[in-house]
Amino acid sequence: MAVISINNTDPRHSTFQKGFNLRWPTGNIQGQSSSSGADMIYFCSSIDDIISAAAAGLKNGGRMTVRSGGHCYEGFVSNKLAGENVPFSVIDISLLSGMEYSDTLSIGTDFLSEEKYRMKVLAGSQNWDNYAELYKRSGKTIPGGSCYSVGAGGHICGGGYGYLSRQYGLSCDWLSGVDILVPDAEGTGLKGVHVSRHHLPDIDDIDDAGYLFLACCGGGGGQFGIITAYYFDDLPVAPAEVLWTVLEWPQNSLTLSDIKTFLNAYYLWFSQHDDNPDTWGLFTKLDLRHVNSGPINLGIHFIDRNNGVTDTTVLEDFYRHVVALLPEARVSLSPFPAAHASVNNLSQQTVSTWADFERHTRRMDWLYFTQNVNASGENKKGRYKSAYQKGGSEGFHAVPATALWNAINAPDPHGVLTNSGIQIQSYGGQINQASETAVGDYSALVQRDSVLKWQPRAYWYDTQNMTPDEALALDDTCAVWLRTLYRDAFPAVLPGQVEPGIPVNDDFDGCYFNYPDLDMKYKNGNANDNDALNPDWRAIYFPRGKEAILRQAKTLWDPLNILRHEMSVEPEHPL
């Protein structure tokens, strides 16, 4: 199949300029191509297609980006860079999809290599397709995210994290090999390379291939090359069944004291049980929703230590020591809430005892749970932040707890924050066990002592009669809400606070690069307040020496900085 080329005369051009987040390209108007977006979009279904499209995109000094599922939170894929007046193309590899499985470790690579693997996932494949096909072929799974249409291309190389990650680790921790197209010496095309975990030296003796492999394990997509396939020697056995419970609490029934007590217990439970493998099958997603977005919501996913659902000792312990502390729990009418929970004034069944909890817990086939729990929701505009919350503290600090309470009760006179909240998900377990191992050494993700992971977000959409100024005002309202949360949650007075407005202190360990946030590039974590650039911003995402390793990988494999975006790694001496 030949490359499908879409230019601005094609009626599909404005659609394909966009991905899942409709904020991008900047200033886009529904039904119109944006001057801030791609001039050309190339759909590729083979490696030869990508090489051909890249040669066209790089002609005359052009810039290109790569897209698999299109879920990038920032405009890295969709936006022209400020100050660059060169042709801009998006290489879309969503048609390069599918997987292979072999019981006998007989799958070869697409580029020159003698390595053999058990599983191969093409980078354009989406999460749901991968989970379904892999389960049907082998009964195994990738411990990745729940958003069904996220592409493997960016998801796995950015880390990959989801409901089974406390039990089995990150997606990239299982990665064994990568086929990747890297820029050639002239910067006018791409060449194929295969890198493998099979022959990596000790991290102190890391070689050129090792730098590239490490960058593909959490360093983030679209910076070092275009990944075409991932390879795995093995993957974990998927559970046949899971237990799933969704509870909620209307904000008007709670107080700040209630929330502080609950957050403290929530944090301490995961911190104190982080080293206990019996507890790793418990994964929770706490959603502190703005009052105009519906009640506070808690999704609880559980498998026991034997990958089953019969021993609920751990689940009962979590209920008694955490859930029971927040009064007036009720059963959610939305068993798989993506954006909204049910409204505050509905009469529902309550949960006030362990027996109530058991009665309202669903026992589900894992595959169908995975299908239904999709958290993507509809395409819309969105802003996001992230934070790793470390274990080992005495509790959930009162300052960020109060900031969270104030955020979800913030005045919203125009009803803008109707799809906004702060997810605080459980983390750690097997993820943290990789610390100071070869898997952890060859991962860009050094945050291996965190037990909670924050994902604040605000979603909205424009209406057909909205003016550009009104659209910008809506965006700004959501941005101010999120920035105010981080300003109040991470003030300079906190122990170890490095920079106000940024989650780096004694209790927090920076941000997750698959949830990028341009605010983190600036002093005080504020991109739109005339604050100066923070020269050390990359260490927020890649602390403790990992930034330097990624920079060396970039210098070795893309010294001309061909693959670049607003937050990409730069080579040592960019040309």
Side-chain angles (χ1 to χ4, degrees):
M1 181 177 174
V3 177
I4 300 170
S5 303
I6 308 291
N7 62 25
N8 61 10
T9 66
D10 192 301
R12 300 168 291 178
H13 186 257
S14 65
T15 297
F16 292 142
Q17 279 189 315
K18 292 176 281 196
F20 180 80
N21 189 347
L22 299 182
R23 280 179 68 204
W24 315 118
T26 302
N28 73 81
I29 297 173
Q30 178 59 36
Q32 300 180 27
S33 293
S34 171
S35 60
S36 299
D39 303 303
M40 295 291 301
I41 299 100
Y42 297 106
F43 286 94
C44 303
S45 58
S46 70
I47 291 169
D48 287 343
D49 286 352
I50 297 172
I51 292 172
S52 175
L58 294 173
K59 189 177 295 185
N60 300 319
R63 171 176 169 257
M64 66 178 185
T65 59
V66 59
R67 177 172 68 200
S68 56
H71 278 254
C72 187
Y73 284 177
E74 291 286 359
F76 300 164
V77 174
S78 301
N79 281 346
K80 291 180 177 176
L81 287 174
E84 284 196 3
N85 186 24
V86 298
F88 172 43
S89 304
V90 171
I91 310 296
D92 188 299
I93 64 169
S94 58
L95 298 178
L96 184 69
S97 62
M99 66 164 300
E100 297 177 39
Y101 176 80
S102 166
D103 281 327
T104 58
L105 285 168
S106 61
I107 297 173
T109 68
D110 290 323
F111 303 135
L112 186 61
S113 172
E114 296 181 357
E115 306 299 333
K116 301 292 182 182
Y117 302 95
R118 192 181 305 276
M119 286 155 257
K120 174 183 180 180
V121 175
L122 295 179
S125 303
Q126 297 182 349
N127 276 347
W128 168 244
D129 295 323
N130 290 332
Y131 299 150
E133 183 170 354
L134 186 57
Y135 189 64
K136 292 169 185 176
R137 289 183 179 275
S138 67
K140 298 188 176 185
T141 190
I142 300 170
S146 59
C147 296
Y148 79 97
S149 58
V150 167
H155 184 60
I156 295 174
C157 70
Y161 158 75
Y163 283 88
L164 293 175
S165 288
R166 290 192 73 244
Q167 181 83 327
Y168 294 125
L170 302 173
S171 301
C172 69
D173 292 347
W174 291 82
L175 190 60
S176 301
V178 181
D179 283 341
I180 181 169
L181 292 163
V182 297
D184 61 23
E186 294 75 28
T188 57
L190 301 176
K191 61 181 182 180
V193 175
H194 180 80
V195 289
S196 175
R197 192 184 294 274
H198 291 169
H199 307 293
L200 293 175
D202 183 86
I203 192 66
D204 293 333
D205 301 313
I206 186 171
D207 57 13
D208 291 4
Y211 279 108
L212 185 57
F213 184 83
L214 185 151
C216 293
C217 292
Q223 306 181 81
F224 306 95
I226 296 179
I227 293 171
T228 58
Y230 294 105
Y231 297 85
F232 302 89
D233 289 337
D234 204 356
L235 284 167
V237 174
E241 298 176 290
V242 301
L243 298 182
W244 175 242
T245 315
V246 185
L247 303 177
E248 59 184 43
W249 294 263
Q251 288 89 335
N252 58 17
S253 71
L254 302 173
T255 66
L256 171 58
S257 179
D258 291 331
I259 288 296
K260 284 183 174 179
T261 298
F262 178 77
L263 288 175
N264 195 62
Y266 186 69
Y267 167 82
L268 286 174
W269 197 94
F270 286 106
S271 179
Q272 293 169 357
H273 291 86
D274 188 51
D275 290 330
N276 182 359
D278 289 352
T279 71
W280 294 349
L282 180 72
F283 179 92
T284 59
K285 184 179 287 187
L286 172 65
D287 198 352
L288 300 173
R289 302 173 189 268
H290 186 273
V291 65
N292 285 347
S293 297
I296 291 171
N297 178 280
L298 177 64
I300 304 168
H301 168 280
F302 180 73
I303 54 176
D304 64 30
R305 62 182 178 273
N306 297 315
N307 222 21
V309 295
T310 57
D311 184 351
T312 58
T313 305
V314 169
L315 187 59
E316 181 177 359
D317 187 79
F318 180 77
Y319 170 80
R320 296 190 184 281
H321 289 92
V322 181
V323 177
L325 299 183
L326 201 57
E328 298 189 36
R330 65 192 194 187
V331 181
S332 175
L333 295 180
S334 303
F336 300 102
H340 293 83
S342 48
V343 296
N344 280 326
N345 59 356
L346 292 179
S347 177
Q348 294 164 243
Q349 298 184 54
T350 59
V351 173
S352 56
T353 66
W354 168 244
D356 292 340
F357 186 95
E358 281 191 300
R359 185 167 60 252
H360 294 294
T361 292
R362 298 181 63 179
R363 181 170 175 170
M364 303 183 64
D365 293 317
W366 170 81
L367 184 66
Y368 300 126
F369 165 83
T370 302
Q371 179 182 21
N372 284 298
V373 81
N374 161 50
S376 293
E378 61 184 301
N379 289 51
K380 47 198 170 284
K381 291 189 172 183
R383 282 183 173 270
Y384 313 82
K385 291 186 179 293
S386 68
Y388 289 101
Q389 189 167 356
K390 294 187 283 188
S393 296
E394 294 182 357
F396 200 111
H397 199 288
V399 170
T402 301
L404 290 165
W405 174 256
N406 290 340
I408 66 175
N409 289 285
D412 182 28
H414 302 295
V416 172
L417 300 173
T418 56
N419 199 339
S420 304
I422 306 98
Q423 286 186 3
I424 303 181
Q425 303 163 1
S426 55
Y427 201 72
Q430 182 59 45
I431 299 168
N432 291 347
Q433 295 300 303
S435 179
E436 299 182 8
T437 69
V439 169
D441 287 344
Y442 274 94
S443 170
L445 299 175
V446 72
Q447 293 94 340
R448 301 278 182 167
D449 58 358
S450 294
V451 296
L452 298 178
K453 193 174 192 177
W454 290 29
Q455 188 183 16
R457 86 281 179 211
Y459 292 121
W460 69 97
Y461 58 87
D462 298 341
T463 59
Q464 63 176 348
N465 295 323
M466 191 175 286
T467 67
D469 285 345
E470 289 171 331
L472 286 173
L474 192 57
D475 186 337
D476 189 59
T477 297
C478 295
V480 168
W481 180 73
L482 289 167
R483 290 169 182 156
T484 300
L485 165 64
Y486 268 40
R487 180 199 68 194
D488 294 347
F490 307 112
V493 297
L494 287 181
Q497 186 69 39
V498 173
E499 179 77 30
I502 292 173
V504 177
N505 56 43
D506 287 356
D507 291 342
F508 287 82
D509 201 13
C511 302
Y512 177 42
F513 198 65
N514 258 10
Y515 302 163
D517 173 18
L518 281 170
D519 283 345
M520 294 298 105
K521 291 182 66 173
Y522 294 85
K523 295 283 187 178
N524 302 308
N526 193 337
N528 287 347
D529 199 28
N530 298 315
D531 286 320
L533 280 170
N534 177 2
D536 300 320
W537 69 265
R538 287 188 178 87
I540 298 169
Y541 293 93
F542 304 109
R544 298 185 285 285
K546 293 296 185 178
E547 177 202 358
I549 290 176
L550 293 176
R551 190 164 61 249
Q552 180 63 16
K554 183 75 168 179
T555 303
L556 289 168
W557 293 99
D558 184 16
L560 301 180
N561 205 20
I562 298 301
L563 291 155
R564 59 191 184 275
H565 55 67
E566 291 98 325
M567 295 179 78
S568 58
V569 177
E570 292 184 352
E572 289 286 357
H573 304 289
L575 302 177

